[in-house]
Amino acid sequence: MGIFDLFKQIESGSAGNLHGKLTWIVAGLGNPGLEYENTRHNAGFLTMDELAKQCGVKLDQMKFKSDCGEAMLGEVRCLLMKPTTYMNLSGDAIAAAANFYKIPPEQVLVIYDDISLPPGKLRLRRKGSAGGHNGIKSIIAQLGTEEFPRIRVGVGAKPNPQYDLADWVLSKFSEEDMTALQPALEHAADAAKKIVSGDMNGAMNLYSH
């Protein structure tokens, strides 16, 4: 490690804090680029930003086709990821990291948007189908299993049945929705900490509603 890398770690608050083997991946889904910032499909990215802020780290390492950073969630060393592959290829990034670190699917936590939940609501699951979500379809295809935990962040339903789904998920949150969303992002970050520490039941009891 060069001196500049050390300074970078110190600036991000991560120097000296990491210990133990990296045993979990926490990945938030979204699309890269300014045009997609604060869109409904980027609720996973927004959660990762909140989690990184709480951990005092920056997701500024580009590897596994993702913006990454390592952090301790409690006593658990985790790789935090925001795949930059675009949503439909999220599995490429996550599978690459899981294969590299030899992380089993049940220790890959995925955070993503859900149009069936209103903004501010969360739903936690140990496993499950893609439910029509292209990012999750990609992850299931690349990991070869549906058995990975996930946190679904409510972003609100289409305003009417005729509204194009792609247009809706790529639309920006309203001010009102962002106000409702902020506590949910904080709760999702807290839930992630509980899940990686082995307390999925506690996380579900507190935050899944």
Side-chain angles (χ1 to χ4, degrees):
M1 178 188 289
I3 188 70
F4 293 111
D5 292 325
L6 184 59
F7 283 147
K8 198 172 180 183
Q9 277 199 346
I10 291 168
E11 281 177 6
S12 69
S14 60
N17 292 336
L18 298 172
H19 58 267
K21 185 183 174 189
L22 194 151
T23 54
W24 272 82
I25 291 170
V26 182
L29 305 189
N31 289 307
L34 289 174
E35 64 188 297
Y36 297 110
E37 271 191 4
N38 294 325
T39 57
R40 295 172 195 278
H41 226 15
N42 275 30
F45 275 13
L46 292 170
T47 304
M48 294 309 294
D49 291 341
E50 174 63 31
L51 181 58
K53 183 179 81 172
Q54 289 185 15
C55 294
V57 301
K58 293 179 180 175
L59 305 184
D60 57 2
Q61 301 171 40
M62 173 51 76
K63 54 186 180 181
F64 310 115
K65 301 177 185 173
S66 304
D67 293 328
C68 295
E70 288 188 32
M72 299 300 297
L73 301 192
E75 291 301 307
V76 182
R77 185 169 177 172
C78 303
L79 180 70
L80 309 185
M81 299 179 67
K82 290 165 60 177
T84 57
T85 55
Y86 291 96
M87 184 66 81
N88 293 3
L89 297 175
S90 300
D92 293 1
I94 291 170
N99 290 336
F100 181 83
Y101 289 110
K102 297 180 171 55
I103 306 292
E106 59 269 20
Q107 287 167 220
V108 176
L109 173 61
V110 182
I111 305 171
Y112 62 103
D113 58 292
D114 189 339
I115 61 167
S116 70
L117 297 172
K121 298 291 185 183
L122 302 176
R123 189 72 45 79
L124 281 57
R125 290 287 182 268
R126 287 184 172 80
K127 59 183 179 179
S129 68
H133 193 285
N134 287 332
I136 300 299
K137 282 182 191 173
S138 173
I139 296 167
I140 290 171
Q142 292 300 322
L143 293 183
T145 181
E146 297 181 347
E147 305 221 359
F148 53 88
R150 67 278 309 262
I151 299 173
R152 288 153 43 193
V153 181
V155 298
K158 296 190 297 180
N160 60 67
Q162 287 72 42
Y163 203 104
D164 183 76
L165 178 59
D167 288 345
W168 177 244
V169 296
L170 295 178
S171 67
K172 304 268 186 185
F173 285 106
S174 67
E175 250 183 76
E176 183 183 353
D177 284 348
M178 279 301 289
T179 300
L181 187 68
Q182 187 53 45
L185 300 179
E186 294 168 10
H187 290 158
D190 290 340
K193 294 171 189 173
K194 278 191 166 295
I195 291 168
V196 304
S197 72
D199 190 13
M200 172 60 98
N201 286 341
M204 291 175 81
N205 289 338
L206 278 173
Y207 301 116
S208 195
H209 43 69

